[in-house]
Amino acid sequence: MSVCYADRFYSKDEILSLLHPKVARWYSRFEPTPPQSMAIPLIHRGENVLITSPTGTGKTLAAFLTIMSELAFMEWNGVLEDKVYAVYVSPLRALNNDIKRNLLSPLEEMGLDFVRVSVRTGDTPANERQKMLRKPPHILITTPETLAIVLNATRFRDKLEPRWVVVDEIHALFESKRGAHLSLSLERLNHQASFQRIGLSATIWPLDEVARFLVGEGRSCVVVNASYAKEKDIRVETPVPDLVHIEAEKLNREMYRRLGEIIDEHRTTLVFTNTRSGAEKVAFHLQDSVDIDDIGTHHGSLSRDVRLDVEEKLKNGELKVVVSSTSLELGIDIGYIDCVVQIGSPKSITRCLQRIGRAGHRIRDVSKGVLLCMSHDDLLECAVMVKCAYDGVLDRASHPQNALDVLAQHLVGMALERKWNAEEAFNVVRRSYSFRSLSWDDFESALKYLSGGYGLEPYKVYGKVWYDEHDRVFGRRGKYARVIYMLNLGTIPDEVAIKVYALPGKRYVGNIEEEFLERLEPGDIFVLGGRVYEFVRASGLNAYVKDAKGKKPTIPSWFSEMLPLSFDLACEIRRFIEKVFRGEIGEEELKEEYRVSDWAAKAILNFLRLEKEFLGKLGIEVNGRSLLVEEFEDEDGRQNFLFMFLFGRRVNDALSRAYAWVASREVGANVGLAVTDHGFMLTVPRKRKLDVRLVVSKVSSSNLRDVLSKAIRSTEMFRRRFRHVAARSFMVLRNYKGHEIGARRQMRNAEVLMKAVSEFDGFPIVKETEREIMEDVMDVKNAIEVLKSIERGELEIIHVKTPVPSPLAHGVYLSGLSDVVLMEDRLKLLEYLYQRVVEESSCGENH
């Protein structure tokens, strides 16, 4: 398989000469954009093509112009049939309706109104689907899930022999199981008719890998990289000159004042926060602090109607400002925006560029953005992020490999089509990039599970396929297999609210998200409804807590929503800190190369200078190899170990859980754990003592997976993820014969089944649950690389006893106190810690 990069721009005349006269006449009004002038001739030639370029650079038209032209030639030559010639797949239903509108308009203007375009998703009414059977669309617009259903819609499938498949927003699919699911659908479709693949993506890296994901194993792809096509103007700011000696109220007030100035200076401003609750909070405060009526809010928890209303008003220029969490990152056409503001760090270079790229929708517009930082950690992340963005350095995206629950769904789908030779099916599956390294043992274990090979009938888990191990043949089993497949297909788990009850007495106190619950361990402290509680246990969809008034939270209430800092960006920040320590980066470099404001530059330098002086006072000289473990005793007499591992939260999640598991066994009690992007903290209960060097010595690159496996097996996270994997594998059904099965009953069924299958060695649902946690939720692969670097001596762990956490460790120490309810307390504690550091460093008035 080969991936190569397009390096030729074709002229307008060359492009027009390739097109049908009607299409050429229409297109002659425009000047080709960079992705169009590179991609259109390649698509015309029949190449598989991946196009990456910013929003508003004409990617979609580049993909469809050849398709429209070829359909026009077919009609001209009298060979246009009633069947689907092109399939367009997008992860967003809202984007699908946009695309239909954006195709019908030019088709009408070209005089190609004989070309039929239809949208088919879960929302499509039955009468519309019937119409498509009688008169199939030439261009079918759909989602990954509906495509998988269409593959098994017997009558419609006969009409589905596409010559082209266009996958839009491929960056949003690549990093999730939805992408793995789609890649198997494409291989199944390709098995009956080969087609040309065209991928459209916003900024993503590595492009070679995304190209391989698009086309599968053994096929070539040409990458059209026009990600530079639009000019950008990104600035890093802080709303105040001093982020330490300031009251929470004033910091907030100044942030909204600066935000108001930016909004006043622009026609339409899009504000991104990293959480849904943050989006609501910012929109609420903006209405109070800025004299603007037309403010919109957009995030995943709002109803579809509310989101569509905001999108329509944006397109029509009726909103001055919109506040969003992550939901407007993707390429819905949202019309004219001339400035994007990001509050806090977007946590990855790629996400930063995707968000800022929403400003300046037309090709010649400048994408303008302001990153507004409220903490030193945010300032460090954003300064380095912007420098990387201008230097063309991007974070690597990761992709789920060999997801056995996705495989199980497709094996049922394949069995519904016909009887299969298992080795032939195995080869089809392995042509998917997502399953290229799948072992025969894992493939066969999924087949054995689906065919009832583990004897789970007493638990009402019945075979959906039959499998003859001797002849290696499988096929459909049972009259309900098709219904189960159609009604339970998909990779997105049901979102459920967990009811929280206070003990004793089981008094109902509110709800938390399931994703938040899976992070909780007994003894964790969190805030709910303005009160502090300690987590005791969970049962099904209920959580039990006890009052913890006066205690410090260990888990902020928005933790489950937070985006993790990417591993690559974290490593760049470590290098940046070392350069500042060596005096290689000063105020001017920060302002010019890192594009930070005067206040931001001074704040970064003062912060890192104090860190260096404090550690110097303790006799520690840090360099690029140093990984500090700071040990200090808090006011309650507990040992705290702050691991200053700047590797991003996914890597730190893996390392911290392994260290905490070993530490808990060493002291014979639960060890507290707080995890951030910049490090993690282990807290030993009072009257217990821990030798941290012993803990570190017991976790290595060779045993990390084994230690983690033991550490996660009894957690809430494992129980929740098992349910999701079991639902995707048709082991726990969400819908049976048209009857919805509630999340509470699904949870009960999953708990019973988890106990039943835990004795089976290598059971696919257990194995996939573990893989998903270690590789998709955590980042065990890069965690192993970190441990290897320590073992090779490239990184060195330095243990130091400190009277107070160092400045860089303050964020880790206070991570549990970042809840909005306790913002005031957090800032006071931060100021206290900072003052203690200044006193210890004897730096006097300089700080």
Side-chain angles (χ1 to χ4, degrees), residues 686-702:
R686 276 185 301 179
K687 300 180 183 174
R688 312 274 175 140
K689 288 295 171 196
L690 178 68
D691 181 351
V692 77
R693 286 163 296 199
L694 183 65
V695 170
V696 166
S697 70
K698 288 191 173 184
V699 178
S700 67
S701 60
S702 58

Side-chain angles (χ1 to χ4, degrees), residues 1 180 183-188 190-191 197 212-213 215-219 401-404 407 410-411 414 420-444:
M1 176 192 174
S183 75
L184 276 186
S185 290
L186 294 181
E187 290 309 328
R188 286 172 58 194
N190 202 97
H191 194 63
R197 304 184 191 209
R212 290 187 174 94
F213 163 71
V215 300
E217 292 295 284
R219 302 182 189 97
Q401 293 292 326
N402 305 323
L404 298 180
L407 173 66
H410 279 279
L411 288 176
M414 292 168 89
W420 281 81
N421 174 287
E423 288 173 7
E424 181 193 3
F426 180 59
N427 290 332
V428 170
V429 167
R430 294 244 307 187
R431 279 200 285 273
S432 154
Y433 175 81
S434 311
F435 293 87
R436 67 195 186 283
S437 59
L438 180 73
S439 69
W440 171 261
D441 285 349
D442 280 347
F443 178 82
E444 193 172 43

Side-chain angles (χ1 to χ4, degrees), residues 659-671 690 698 710-711 714:
Y659 286 140
W661 188 83
V662 172
S664 295
R665 268 131 201 85
E666 287 297 319
V667 300
N670 269 354
V671 167
L690 178 68
K698 288 191 173 184
K710 291 169 185 162
S714 60

Side-chain angles (χ1 to χ4, degrees), residues 263 282-297 310 313 318-323:
I263 292 165
V282 169
F284 175 78
H285 282 290
L286 268 180
Q287 278 163 345
D288 275 358
S289 58
V290 184
D291 187 22
I292 301 168
D293 294 326
D294 40 359
I295 296 174
T297 311
V310 170
K313 284 180 176 173
E318 295 170 29
L319 293 174
K320 178 75 173 163
V321 58
V322 173
V323 189

Side-chain angles (χ1 to χ4, degrees), residues 2-8 38-39 42 47-52 199 204-212 214 220-226:
S2 65
V3 174
C4 61
Y5 285 75
D7 57 5
R8 182 180 166 191
M38 295 169 86
L42 296 172
E47 303 275 8
N48 294 318
V49 176
L50 171 66
I51 306 171
T52 176
I204 192 168
W205 193 260
L207 287 170
D208 288 31
E209 211 174 330
V210 180
R212 290 187 174 94
L214 170 68
S220 62
C221 186
V222 183
V223 177
V224 171
N225 183 4

